[in-house]
Amino acid sequence: MAPPASPFSTDTGSSITVEEWRGSSSTELSCTSVLIADRSSFKIHRSGSRWNEMSRKILEAFIPEGFPGSVTPDYVPFQVWDSLQGLSTYIRAMLSTQALLSAIGVGEQSATVIGATFQWFLRDFTGMLGGILFTFYQGSNLDSNAKMWRLVADFMNDLGMLMDLVSPLFPSALLVIFCLGSLSRSFTGVASGATRAALTQHFALENNAADISAKEGSQETLATMVGMALGMLLAHITRGYPLGVWISFLSLTMFHMYANYRAVRCLSLTTLNNQRGSILLQHYMQNKTVLAPQEVSRKEHIFPTWPSWQRSAKSLHQCIHLGVKASNLSHSDMKELLGAAGSHYRKANYLLIQQKGMVQVLIHKEATSTDTLQSFFHALVIASLAGKSKSLHTESRLWMDQHYSDFMTKLKSSGWSTERLQSGSHVWRAVWWHSPASKSLTYEPE
């Protein structure tokens, strides 16, 4: 029997065919060329026209590499609505900037350069100071409530632009209006930037957050260029017609708010925050099933509301005080902890207190993110049992022993990220131990 032919055979009748495929994901590949070669000839058959190739290269400047397999399904609808709201913002910016320059006297002989410069400086200084203060008070909450703060950021931007537009109408209060408008937009810059970072991490399926961020910048630049051109055209058309300016501005503002609402509603975040955790646990306790991120997204409240309103809507997470300060505990709180710490939480890195419809969570100094997540769900169980049982700690502990592992397993299988709870920063920790001789419980605040 003759030996098998070598792949490097010198047979003059043999040929080789190579197909060229493009794509960063094995499930999203397209054939671009077919190469056929033998001893005497070489041929290349390209798929698609040169125009298709050129349009694809242009598109690559605006979409992440490996799209759509490299991003989450909610990426496209969010970006479409986000681009539309950005477009309306840049169109309105031309109208508000025109009014702002008119207010500080641009084009008037009586205006002085030093006066306009001082007003502009004070406006920017107020905005910088406002951004620092906003970060100080709300910086740790932006990740946990990205949807809500995204809406708040754009609303504050609308308010700031409205201030610029009305500034020529109140010359005596011009400086105050300038500062208020700048202060409003400073909140926008902080909140929008922080929430954008959280959303970029959500969209990235292949550790491609940097690529997504860069392509989002290209999309925003394109929207800015188109918006500026349309804004200049609109400003020219409405020049000398105040009613036309106001009608255009208010119409675009209404569209801007609607587009932002639709963009936020498209998001199906998989991280756990207080509200999503509450929705998931309540559904599990009733049905022993876990909702998918898309289902929870439809149930979320994305508008800022007063805590009393959310408690009336059966939002259990509003009844939880996570990371309570030990020195704020009262004598009655300490007496409750005295019994609970030794019987119900001996193996836990947290302690729970239930009084007056609120559940306070004392977190141990050595608690991990997993312990914090468990303490939050345990507190939710107690809040859900309040008024239905006289032995809340006993029943809640039994529920946790019987169902918590299954609950967490189903969360992971449904696509939820269970590594940590996004609930702001928990700066207060504590250490506790029993003193058997005096039957007391001692705390060491951290």
Side-chain angles (χ1 to χ4, degrees):
M1 179 181 294
S6 168
F8 304 102
S9 173
T10 59
D11 182 7
T12 57
S14 64
S15 64
I16 184 171
T17 302
V18 176
E19 290 184 343
E20 179 186 74
W21 292 75
R22 179 180 177 83
S24 60
S25 172
S26 59
T27 59
E28 298 291 339
L29 295 174
S30 60
C31 183
T32 59
S33 301
V34 178
L35 292 76
I36 304 175
D38 56 28
R39 286 284 181 177
S40 59
S41 65
F42 176 67
K43 297 179 181 179
I44 299 180
H45 301 282
R46 301 187 185 276
S47 302
S49 63
R50 290 185 178 275
W51 169 251
N52 290 336
E53 180 70 13
M54 184 182 300
S55 61
R56 180 183 58 79
K57 288 185 178 296
I58 295 174
L59 194 60
E60 287 178 352
F62 300 97
I63 61 174
E65 186 177 354
F67 175 87
S70 61
V71 293
T72 57
D74 54 356
Y75 174 79
V76 172
F78 176 82
Q79 289 300 121
V80 169
W81 285 109
D82 188 56
S83 297
L84 289 174
Q85 67 86 17
L87 184 64
S88 68
T89 296
Y90 301 126
I91 296 175
R92 289 178 302 142
M94 298 303 296
L95 299 177
S96 61
T97 302
Q98 186 181 48
L100 183 65
L101 295 175
S102 174
I104 62 176
V106 174
E108 297 182 6
Q109 294 181 352
S110 59
T112 62
V113 174
I114 188 63
T117 302
F118 175 75
Q119 292 176 358
W120 205 271
F121 164 78
L122 194 58
R123 171 179 176 268
D124 288 348
F125 179 81
T126 304
M128 295 174 188
L129 184 61
I132 294 174
L133 293 175
F134 180 76
T135 303
F136 175 75
Y137 283 106
Q138 293 294 340
S140 60
N141 295 323
L142 297 177
D143 272 338
S144 57
N145 293 292
K147 289 186 178 183
M148 184 194 74
W149 284 113
R150 181 75 182 181
L151 284 179
V152 170
D154 286 295
F155 173 77
M156 296 303 290
N157 188 44
D158 291 340
L159 188 60
M161 296 177 73
L162 181 63
M163 292 285 185
D164 291 342
L165 195 64
V166 302
S167 57
L169 304 179
F170 303 94
S172 60
L174 183 61
L175 197 56
V176 175
I177 296 175
F178 271 8
C179 293
L180 289 177
S182 182
L183 188 66
S184 179
R185 275 189 298 273
S186 69
F187 299 161
T188 302
V190 175
S192 179
T195 55
R196 169 55 70 177
L199 296 181
T200 299
Q201 291 294 333
H202 161 70
F203 292 137
L205 290 181
E206 299 182 355
N207 295 321
N208 56 337
D211 182 38
I212 292 176
S213 180
K215 299 306 169 55
E216 193 273 337
S218 297
Q219 297 167 19
E220 186 173 352
T221 300
L222 180 62
T224 302
M225 295 167 60
V226 176
M228 289 175 63
L230 294 177
M232 291 177 65
L233 178 62
L234 183 61
H236 177 73
I237 294 174
T238 58
R239 184 178 181 182
Y241 299 96
L243 182 61
V245 171
W246 278 99
I247 292 176
S248 301
F249 181 87
L250 294 178
S251 299
L252 287 168
T253 299
M254 293 298 294
F255 175 76
H256 176 258
M257 296 174 66
Y258 174 73
N260 269 296
Y261 172 78
R262 290 298 303 269
V264 171
R265 271 300 179 199
C266 289
L267 294 171
S268 299
L269 301 182
T270 58
T271 53
L272 294 173
N273 65 359
N274 291 8
Q275 184 181 180
R276 289 191 284 273
S278 177
I279 294 172
L280 286 164
L281 184 69
Q282 288 182 81
H283 183 84
Y284 178 83
M285 293 182 73
Q286 295 172 1
N287 305 283
K288 293 297 182 289
T289 59
V290 168
L291 295 172
Q294 295 80 5
E295 296 174 301
V296 174
S297 178
R298 290 192 289 268
K299 295 176 177 289
E300 277 188 278
H301 297 286
I302 59 176
F303 292 107
T305 56
W306 293 105
S308 59
W309 296 353
Q310 293 197 10
R311 279 198 293 268
S312 65
K314 300 181 180 179
S315 298
L316 290 181
H317 65 281
Q318 290 293 331
C319 304
I320 311 301
H321 186 183
L322 195 62
V324 67
K325 189 177 179 181
S327 58
N328 288 341
L329 298 178
S330 64
H331 186 214
S332 59
D333 295 334
M334 294 289 285
K335 289 193 294 183
E336 181 178 350
L337 288 177
L338 178 60
S343 56
H344 301 297
Y345 305 104
R346 284 177 295 180
K347 298 181 180 181
N349 280 334
Y350 58 87
L351 297 174
L352 304 180
I353 312 167
Q354 196 280 334
Q355 282 187 350
K356 299 178 181 179
M358 295 294 296
V359 182
Q360 301 184 76
V361 183
L362 195 69
I363 302 176
H364 196 274
K365 178 183 177 181
E366 305 298 332
T368 64
S369 58
T370 302
D371 295 324
T372 302
L373 180 63
Q374 181 177 342
S375 71
F376 174 71
F377 281 123
H378 196 159
L380 286 176
V381 173
I382 288 184
S384 66
L385 295 175
K388 303 176 184 178
S389 172
K390 294 182 179 179
S391 53
L392 291 176
H393 293 286
T394 300
E395 290 200 19
S396 66
R397 180 176 55 81
L398 290 175
W399 190 95
M400 293 291 290
D401 291 341
Q402 295 173 3
H403 302 290
Y404 185 69
S405 295
D406 177 65
F407 175 57
M408 296 302 294
T409 300
K410 289 182 177 179
L411 282 179
K412 293 178 182 178
S413 63
S414 297
W416 291 98
S417 176
T418 58
E419 289 79 15
R420 61 185 294 266
L421 177 71
Q422 289 190 333
S423 182
S425 60
H426 313 296
V427 296
W428 295 107
R429 301 291 182 106
V431 177
W432 53 87
W433 59 89
H434 283 89
S435 177
S438 58
K439 303 294 182 181
S440 63
L441 190 66
T442 306
Y443 290 89
E444 179 183 317
E446 176 64 16

